[in-house]
Amino acid sequence: MGLRYVESVERGIAAVIDNPTTWNFTNPQVRQNLVRIFPYAILYTVDPDIILILAVMHCGRKPGYW
């Protein structure tokens, strides 16, 4: 199960790197890509020169805890 989780998160991060503007904003600066299979989201920002991953957040916990 742990390996499947890691692979899912890695695929989600790779998708963000390939197409960073595809996913919706959770607030004016932070975007969110939902991880497949597991209830997690990758939260990140996009600047001209960098994609910064802020958190891999569990979607069942309090919003904003990250």
Side-chain angles (χ1 to χ4, degrees):
M1 179 76 95
L3 183 59
R4 285 181 53 200
Y5 167 76
V6 171
E7 289 172 346
S8 292
V9 171
E10 286 177 346
R11 277 193 301 273
I13 291 171
V16 166
I17 291 168
D18 289 342
N19 297 299
T21 59
T22 300
W23 290 275
N24 294 327
F25 288 97
T26 59
N27 71 43
Q29 291 125 4
V30 179
R31 291 178 180 264
Q32 171 179 291
N33 177 11
L34 296 175
V35 175
R36 291 184 183 236
I37 303 171
F38 295 93
Y40 285 82
I42 300 164
L43 302 172
Y44 65 99
T45 61
V46 179
D47 291 323
D49 298 327
I50 192 168
I51 299 168
L52 178 63
I53 297 178
L54 304 170
V56 178
M57 175 185 84
H58 191 285
C59 294
R61 294 190 180 168
K62 290 182 185 177
Y65 82 92
W66 53 273

